[in-house]
């Protein structure tokens, strides 16, 4: 009898959750909140990497076919080393979808690849205004500060990235190295 009650309860709960989810799609922000909690509490590197891939997948969705097509063209241009075309295409992305985090982030990356650190930082600022938990943008900001030989700022950016994604191995190595290098220097 107890088994039957438990089974019926589970069926009722399942039915309720299905009807709730069919009424309206879950908010991406709510999904991201849960994913970021999982990321911070990941017990292994593999678990963290799986969550990271899922977060990046959520970020990659613009919800607009034309914008996604432009992003595809920009990625192709980057792969061929045609950064001029990539920047021009990404200008179109951020113009059409100013709220799309990955458009700004990819454009920041291309500026970085072109050694255009001022525009890269400006785009990263926009990324972080839209998504303050963007660990990739924070890590990129740290790398820019390293290029500019501002080790204290690089360390701060890397530490912020690690506070969001504690298992970023390369960033952790950078933090360890910078802390050793800056030991004894007031921060």
């Amino acid at each position: 009898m107890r088994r039957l009650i438990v089974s019926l309860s589970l069926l009722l709960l399942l039915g309720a959750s299905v009807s709730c989810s069919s009424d309206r799609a879950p908010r991406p922000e709510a999904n991201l909140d849960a994913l970021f909690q999982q990321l911070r509490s990941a017990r292994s590197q593999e678990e963290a990497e799986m969550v990271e891939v899922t977060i990046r997948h959520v970020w990659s969705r613009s919800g607009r076919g034309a914008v996604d097509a432009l992003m595809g063209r920009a990625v192709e241009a980057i792969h061929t080393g045609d950064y001029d075309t990539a920047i021009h295409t990404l200008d179109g992305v951020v113009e059409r979808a100013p709220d799309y985090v990955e458009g700004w982030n990819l454009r920041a990356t291309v500026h970085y690849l072109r050694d255009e650190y001022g525009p890269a930082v400006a785009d990263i600022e926009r990324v972080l205004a839209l998504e303050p938990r963007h660990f990739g943008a924070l890590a990129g900001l740290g790398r820019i500060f390293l290029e500019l030989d501002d080790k204290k700022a690089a360390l701060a950016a890397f530490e912020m990235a690690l506070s969001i994604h504690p298992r970023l191995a390369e960033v952790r190595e950078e933090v360890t190295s910078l802390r050793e290098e800056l030991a004894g220097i007031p921060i």
Side-chain angles (χ1 to χ4, degrees), residues 108 111-112 116-128 140-141 144-145 148:
H111 282 305
Y112 173 79
E116 299 170 349
Y117 302 131
V121 169
D123 283 353
I124 289 172
E125 288 173 349
R126 182 69 177 152
V127 169
L128 296 173
L141 185 60
I144 290 169
F145 286 137
L148 298 173

Side-chain angles (χ1 to χ4, degrees), residues 61-96:
R61 292 188 247 155
S62 76
R64 302 168 186 113
V67 170
D68 291 340
L70 287 172
M71 285 292 283
R73 280 189 242 147
V75 168
E76 286 177 25
I78 293 166
H79 285 302
T80 63
D82 185 358
Y83 299 145
D84 290 339
T85 297
I87 285 290
H88 177 73
T89 304
L90 290 165
D91 288 344
V93 168
V94 300
E95 184 179 303
R96 285 175 180 77

